[in-house]
Amino acid sequence: RCRVNKKLHDNTRCDTCLKKDRERESERVKNNLSKNKCAKCGHSKSLVYIWTNRICAKCHLKYKLKYDVSHEQAEKLINDMLENQNFKCALTGRDLKTNKYNIDHIIPKTTAPERISDQTNWQLVIEEVNVFKTDMSIDEIIQLAKDISDYRG
């Protein structure tokens, strides 16, 4: 309920309260990040170095992949994926120990939205590949890479 305008019904918030909420949230995120904690939940981040390293593995799985597990399960899942891929990017073979990486959908979310939480549709790729790949299939990204290589030599 709005703390400024008591006439607003239910959980409606006035602009003043919404602005204060955003400021508090921004301050909370800055505070968490300054302590090397997850920007969303404040949990201490592990050695799992994912994405921009602003959020923990659990929050990434929950908010980006709609897959809600405990912090321990999320870290185990990511570490198992790393081990299964021998700490290599699924598409370039680059070392994931020294690069930021993302969970990529093998079959893009736009093609198969029902598989967003399907672990068998996930692979770890370096951040640059994930940004470049967007909604392309593996075959499409390989063909594009070939075209670039053929054209640019």
Side-chain angles (χ1 to χ4, degrees), residues 54-67:
R54 291 175 51 90
I55 61 175
C56 65
K58 176 194 176 8
C59 287
H60 186 80
L61 291 172
K62 180 178 180 180
Y63 297 107
K64 303 285 185 184
L65 303 171
K66 312 296 183 230
Y67 193 79

